[in-house]
Amino acid sequence: MTRGYAAFPTRFPLYNAPDDLPPQYGCGPIKFNGSNNALYERHLLFDNALSPSEVGDRERYEAIARSVRDVLSQRWQQTEETYSRENPKRVYYLSMEFLIGRSLSNNILNLRLDPMARRFFAENQLDELAILAQEPDAGLGNGGLGRLAACFLDSMATMQLPGMGYGLRFEYGMFKQQIVNGWQCEQPDNWLRRPDPWEVARPQLAVTIEFGCSFEVRGGNLKATAGASTLLGIPYDRPIVGYGGKTINTLRLWASAATNSFDFQGFSAGEFVSALAERLTAETVTRVLYPDDSTSMGQGLRFVQEYFLVACSLADLVRRFRLNNSDWNCLPDKVAIQLNDTHPCLTVPELMRILLDDAGLDWELAWDITKRMLAYTNHTLLPEALEKWPLRWFELMLPRHLEIILEIDRRLREEIVTRWPEDNDRAERAGIVERGAGHLVRMAHLAIAGSHSTNGVAAIHSRLLRDVTVRDLAELYSDRFSNKTNGVTPRRWLLMSNPGLANCITNAIGDRWITNMADLELLKPLAEDGEFIAAVGMAKRQAKLRFAEWLKSQAGIQVDPDTIFDSQIKRIHEYKRQLLNGLRIVALYNRLRENPHVDMQPRTFFFAGKAAPAYQVAKLIIKFLNNLADTIDGDPAVHGRLRVVFLPEYCVSMAERLIPASDVSNQISTAGYEASGTSNMKFMMNGALTIGTRDGATIEMAEAAGEENFFLFGLTAEQVAAGRDWYNPWWHYENEPETRAVLDLILSGHFTRHEPMIVDALRNILLIGGDTYRHLADLGSYMAADLRLQSLYTKQEAWTRRAILNIASSGKFSSDRTIAEYANEIWHVSPCPVP
Ligand code: 26Q
């Protein structure tokens, strides 16, 4: 292909005969079929010591997963052996979140065992869906940032890069969402209640972490108390299977534990219970993932979690480095570390501490090595969401790190004053320690100063980051800044989740696209091919039917696949503007009520997403959407023409089903607020058309496909910024009749009959409070774009043609392209194939 982004070799030889596994799989050819399913049966009967009549789908799931793990385990070990032998430069991806979802189907697919698996399920007359559904989603993340980390691991393994993920083994992942009377309720996600066949505990590799204080849990909070303490980090490894099964990398998750199982002195003094209670405190550290509420930061336990991740991971990777290398100077030639947002940014002082105190290097050398090893990715521009930690906490818990940070800060300020002697405030603005009431450590500044690379996740975001958010520092270190537009793995998000469309594509252009998405360009001429248009149209219909069936069986909700499926699925946040979508629906509802004969395409609107438990406005938005759904459902005037569905418990597995079935993707954030977005890319690959604002990566998607194939609307980021001082939502209320009618209906209590406080809150958000996120400014152009969309939908062939042009232009948004850029421009790592 001609595209520049294919320059990195993303195409690797694959096994072409999946039935004949090469001998390196160790067990010889394993056949999941009636004649030879010994492996499966052994696991089924012996792992749980049950008789055949006692096993259920959960046991079947575990037995199949363990069989698949048997198949991959030798290859997994050979991958690590190869890395040890070849001693290549490795890359470590440090992230508080890895939103991996389910693993069984994905591992089967990446091992290319899917034809066998299909036969196995059929021949044993097993209910495939029911068995796959036994696996809980590994929900170790909030949303985009965590899912990106998971896609990156898939790409690194597929591209045979020696990469490893480091994260935390949260006992409780993202909370489970229930909707009660329209309101979100949170339930704990006890995903490890049953044994997880994918994880391998490695207690022999445990590391010891030291703190400058002790801890106790009081009132649900972690309190620092006098006296130093230690924690144990126990690694749990998960295989990351590259497509084709050649490379199997590792995701290493740390669990916290007490260093001594018993305090023997305390034990003999009769303090059996309190000795064990202390152990409980130690395990608290990795108990639960923090939901991102962007505003209520400052939880001490989160700070401890971040340090725990960093300290365990660095101890582990330094130990691995030392096995093969004696010279500390070589560290940057052998190790690249990517910091996923500021969450793991204590890496900067921790690495300095290791180099200064353990290796005995001098400051200049330690600082040079640290910067050359580290790179930082930013995922948000919201100033209130940038992490800042109280200096006091460093004093209490990490006094040595504080010394190091103060010295980094002193030197940075010196550099700034030398370069800009006239600019008196600059050192204060750009420094690491913010000297306000209660000094704070600005983690983003620490990350930028302590690394050689800072990147944003879409072109517009990288530009705004450099020119606005951290401008003072970017002027000092302009050569460190770059953009790496996000991507998603086409294995999970197209090949696995949308087999109908994937087949259709493979039939047309072969299967090279799976590892070389630039190949999708070959579909462009087929946008004029009647047969191909029909096939893609059929695939969409299939996916819609499949989703409707699943929804019926799971939730008892019936939806009509003959309506437009119009989706907005993402975390609930004011800037993402689910409320704007709600206003659009009310406008359409009004049109139908006014004139039942109006020409309007029947439509089903899907919402799904979680609100951070403490984010009251986001929870109110969920309530409003549910009320909207109920009211519209109960109104015979619009029956069969408009339907609103709020799907509870959004998760990776739900996205895998809903995205392929969607006709329309809503990406409608206030311009300048969404760093990138990644569901936008998944929708595009699956042939949904986007209605959206010029924000994040949506801008680049429209550029790739041609704006004529998108439904773009709304203020640009520049316009949003320019209007900050004078924007007035009342103007739109008073001058735009449709906007006014929408608000009047909502404020009349039509959707909230016995809940006046909801009306008050909405009035506040949209009018009295100034409409920070410009809902009213963009509603008019949203409606205009929506009309264009409806009109195109009436011409099914023209619609599908545009869907094909979108799919054909989505190659750039493969995470293989993103990883190639990181590998070439930041990490300087190359593939290390396993022979
Ligand atoms: C921070 C401190 C305390 C507790 C929680 C947090 C926290 C946790 C998660 C802060 C932020 C997050 C997650 C952010 C996130 O998902 N950002 C998204 O990242 C995607 C991948 O780059 C982008 O596509 C999205 O635009 C961005 O919103």
Side-chain angles (χ1 to χ4, degrees):
M1 292 305 297
T2 50
R3 285 296 167 113
Y5 57 82
F8 189 86
T10 58
R11 168 84 188 144
F12 303 95
L14 306 168
Y15 296 125
N16 31 21
D19 298 64
D20 285 324
L21 285 177
Q24 64 262 39
Y25 277 123
C27 323
I30 288 166
K31 293 229 162 68
F32 285 134
N33 60 35
S35 63
N36 185 6
N37 52 11
L39 201 53
Y40 165 71
E41 284 189 340
R42 207 173 55 220
H43 281 299
L44 187 64
L45 301 180
F46 299 145
D47 289 2
N48 296 298
L50 289 175
S51 78
S53 64
E54 288 173 296
V55 299
D57 282 341
R58 170 68 204 192
E59 288 76 23
R60 293 190 188 98
Y61 155 70
E62 275 179 31
I64 296 172
R66 286 188 196 288
S67 307
V68 172
R69 208 185 84 185
D70 291 345
V71 173
L72 63 78
S73 64
Q74 267 207 336
R75 192 71 187 166
W76 191 10
Q77 173 206 324
Q78 278 164 6
T79 302
E80 187 44 48
E81 247 170 55
T82 304
Y83 295 163
S84 301
R85 191 179 58 245
E86 303 288 325
N87 193 19
K89 183 172 184 182
R90 304 201 199 207
V91 50
Y92 296 102
Y93 199 82
L94 262 64
S95 178
M96 284 290 280
E97 308 194 358
F98 287 91
L99 193 42
I100 40 196
R102 290 185 176 139
S103 293
L104 179 55
S105 309
N106 196 247
N107 288 345
I108 288 177
L109 182 87
N110 280 9
L111 289 166
R112 307 200 72 194
L113 291 171
D114 41 317
M116 265 182 272
R118 264 194 302 276
R119 235 180 301 137
F120 165 79
F121 282 115
E123 285 171 8
N124 288 281
Q125 296 179 334
L126 295 176
D127 182 345
E128 181 176 350
L129 289 185
I131 289 174
L132 295 178
Q134 292 299 319
E135 179 174 6
D137 264 50
L140 307 182
N142 278 278
L145 171 147
R147 185 52 235 176
L148 184 77
C151 284
F152 279 6
L153 294 183
D154 178 277
S155 285
M156 284 193 259
T158 298
M159 294 160 75
Q160 308 192 349
L161 291 171
M164 182 162 178
Y166 277 121
L168 293 183
R169 181 180 179 270
F170 297 110
E171 218 174 301
Y172 294 86
M174 192 59 186
F175 63 83
K176 295 263 177 215
Q177 180 191 54
Q178 284 178 351
I179 302 296
V180 178
N181 188 27
W183 295 99
Q184 168 178 292
C185 296
E186 300 89 23
Q187 296 295 330
D189 165 40
N190 193 357
W191 73 294
L192 289 171
R193 194 178 45 231
R194 309 197 66 167
D196 184 332
W198 301 113
E199 65 174 19
V200 181
R202 304 207 187 275
Q204 71 279 18
L205 297 179
V207 295
T208 306
I209 306 303
E210 286 169 33
F211 285 89
C213 64
S214 290
F215 300 99
E216 59 186 59
V217 181
R218 241 188 276 146
N221 282 324
L222 203 68
K223 294 272 183 237
T225 59
S229 66
T230 56
L231 275 183
L232 212 55
I234 301 176
Y236 286 75
D237 287 356
R238 308 177 72 86
I240 305 295
V241 181
Y243 187 71
K246 293 208 142 190
T247 289
I248 300 181
N249 283 335
T250 299
L251 168 58
R252 178 160 286 181
L253 301 178
W254 298 100
S256 59
T259 30
N260 307 314
S261 41
F262 284 97
D263 175 336
F264 280 104
Q265 259 183 337
F267 184 55
S268 48
E271 294 183 1
F272 176 82
V273 171
S274 61
L276 277 181
E278 188 175 307
R279 182 188 171 83
L280 254 179
T281 311
E283 286 165 5
T284 309
V285 171
T286 52
R287 184 88 77 216
V288 55
L289 166 78
Y290 269 89
D292 157 37
D293 55 18
S294 303
T295 46
S296 79
M297 259 172 275
Q299 306 96 336
L301 179 57
R302 168 82 182 186
F303 180 72
V304 175
Q305 286 182 343
E306 292 186 358
Y307 179 64
F308 183 72
L309 165 64
V310 162
C312 292
S313 308
L314 284 190
D316 194 54
L317 70 88
V318 165
R319 177 175 55 193
R320 187 174 303 110
F321 167 79
R322 301 284 288 167
L323 286 178
N324 278 314
N325 311 274
S326 52
D327 184 358
W328 289 95
N329 283 293
C330 294
L331 250 175
D333 305 326
K334 293 294 174 190
V335 175
I337 298 176
Q338 192 68 36
L339 306 172
N340 200 21
D341 216 306
T342 51
H343 315 157
C345 278
L346 289 169
T347 299
V348 175
E350 174 69 1
L351 188 51
M352 282 297 285
R353 185 195 65 75
I354 292 171
L355 294 173
L356 293 170
D357 302 352
D358 298 350
L361 306 184
D362 65 32
W363 182 279
E364 304 293 341
L365 185 54
W367 187 234
D368 179 63
I369 291 176
T370 297
K371 282 188 295 183
R372 284 163 57 208
M373 286 171 69
L374 304 187
Y376 155 62
T377 304
N378 173 283
H379 297 264
T380 184
L381 293 171
L382 294 175
E384 70 270 23
L386 294 176
E387 283 190 299
K388 294 175 190 173
W389 294 115
L391 206 84
R392 174 90 191 118
W393 293 1
F394 285 88
E395 247 164 33
L396 277 173
M397 300 184 219
L398 304 170
R400 176 63 178 139
H401 297 76
L402 179 58
E403 275 178 4
I404 292 169
I405 289 171
L406 291 178
E407 179 60 12
I408 297 171
D409 187 44
R410 191 188 65 76
R411 288 171 180 244
L412 171 65
R413 284 166 185 263
E414 213 171 74
E415 213 179 327
I416 294 171
V417 171
T418 312
R419 177 126 172 235
W420 288 279
E422 315 285 279
D423 190 345
N424 293 329
D425 296 339
R426 184 181 278 255
E428 197 46 55
R429 291 194 307 269
I432 289 166
V433 178
E434 186 177 294
R435 299 169 173 169
H439 291 12
L440 297 171
V441 179
R442 297 172 174 140
M443 299 307 283
H445 291 201
L446 181 62
I448 294 167
S451 65
H452 69 280
S453 162
T454 293
N455 74 281
V457 289
I460 181 182
H461 166 67
S462 298
R463 210 167 42 241
L464 289 172
L465 176 69
R466 193 193 55 203
D467 297 347
V468 183
T469 313
V470 295
R471 183 165 142 200
D472 292 309
L473 268 182
E475 281 172 4
L476 183 61
Y477 302 128
S478 57
D479 56 324
R480 295 185 190 178
F481 281 72
S482 77
N483 172 55
K484 299 286 170 281
T485 300
N486 283 165
V488 302
T489 169
R491 269 75 63 184
R492 182 178 287 262
W493 294 109
L494 179 49
L495 185 63
M496 186 183 97
S497 61
N498 198 345
L501 181 60
N503 270 334
C504 205
I505 296 171
T506 298
N507 289 340
I509 61 169
D511 67 358
R512 239 178 58 128
W513 62 271
I514 298 167
T515 49
N516 185 7
M517 281 280 276
D519 257 20
L520 292 182
E521 294 265 344
L522 297 170
L523 294 173
K524 281 205 169 145
L526 297 177
E528 303 303 325
D529 178 327
E531 226 173 284
F532 188 67
I533 294 173
V536 170
M538 278 276 265
K540 178 61 74 182
R541 183 148 181 90
Q542 249 179 36
K544 288 172 84 170
L545 288 168
R546 209 160 81 109
F547 174 76
E549 216 170 277
W550 173 80
L551 190 59
K552 179 86 204 302
S553 72
Q554 292 294 303
I557 301 173
Q558 199 142 12
V559 292
D560 178 1
D562 287 324
T563 61
I564 302 177
F565 280 8
D566 183 305
S567 305
Q568 186 175 15
I569 50 175
K570 45 185 82 246
R571 283 176 303 138
I572 310 293
H573 204 293
E574 286 167 278
Y575 84 76
K576 294 179 187 280
R577 295 200 297 191
Q578 281 90 356
L579 203 46
L580 176 61
N581 195 348
L583 299 182
R584 171 182 65 148
I585 295 168
V586 174
L588 296 172
Y589 175 63
N590 261 341
R591 285 181 195 173
L592 272 178
R593 289 183 345 136
E594 252 164 48
N595 174 11
H597 304 294
V598 71
D599 195 20
M600 193 183 290
Q601 288 300 303
R603 209 165 345 170
T604 306
F605 296 95
F606 292 102
F607 290 93
K610 294 177 183 176
Y615 190 172
Q616 294 308 329
V617 175
K619 292 178 106 168
L620 184 98
I621 293 171
I622 293 178
K623 169 66 176 163
F624 174 68
L625 295 173
N626 278 301
N627 279 18
L628 201 61
D630 287 349
T631 309
I632 288 180
D633 221 21
D635 189 338
V638 297
H639 185 75
R641 303 186 71 180
L642 285 187
R643 181 86 200 283
V644 181
V645 180
F646 188 99
L647 301 163
E649 182 46 21
Y650 182 48
C651 59
V652 171
S653 294
M654 183 191 287
E656 286 166 9
R657 294 183 170 275
L658 182 51
I659 291 172
S662 295
D663 299 300
V664 179
S665 153
N666 283 268
Q667 306 297 335
I668 58 174
S669 50
T670 316
Y673 283 88
E674 188 68 271
S676 161
T678 42
S679 76
N680 46 2
M681 304 167 182
K682 297 163 195 165
F683 279 108
M684 185 189 196
M685 284 174 192
N686 281 278
L689 298 191
T690 304
I691 183 165
T693 47
R694 291 176 176 82
D695 201 15
T698 303
I699 299 176
E700 291 160 73
M701 288 162 39
E703 235 162 57
E707 285 207 2
E708 68 282 8
N709 296 310
F710 267 61
F711 301 102
L712 295 180
F713 70 91
L715 298 175
T716 61
E718 291 70 30
Q719 289 167 329
V720 170
R724 203 145 276 153
D725 295 329
W726 53 261
Y727 171 68
N728 179 5
W730 289 102
W731 187 91
H732 296 277
Y733 179 76
E734 276 148 18
N735 292 283
E736 294 171 358
E738 186 157 53
T739 301
R740 186 187 192 113
V742 165
L743 282 166
D744 284 347
L745 188 66
I746 294 172
L747 300 182
S748 75
H750 184 81
F751 304 100
T752 48
R753 288 189 199 288
H754 307 291
E755 299 154 320
M757 52 81 68
I758 298 172
V759 167
D760 291 343
L762 291 172
R763 186 186 293 110
N764 239 318
I765 297 168
L766 294 171
L767 288 167
I768 296 170
D771 185 19
T772 313
Y773 294 98
R774 316 294 169 94
H775 296 85
L776 302 199
D778 280 351
L779 181 57
S781 62
Y782 192 16
M783 296 311 298
D786 194 75
L787 272 185
R788 300 201 296 277
L789 180 152
Q790 288 192 60
S791 137
L792 186 69
Y793 198 79
T794 59
K795 299 164 236 150
Q796 267 301 294
E797 230 186 83
W799 178 279
T800 307
R801 189 173 302 126
R802 289 216 196 163
I804 294 171
L805 291 174
N806 267 272
I807 298 166
S809 311
S810 69
K812 174 178 166 185
F813 306 100
S814 161
S815 44
D816 297 350
R817 186 268 315 152
T818 314
I819 286 299
E821 290 178 7
Y822 278 93
N824 288 330
E825 296 162 26
I826 299 179
W827 303 332
H828 305 288
V829 295
S830 320
C832 179
V834 182

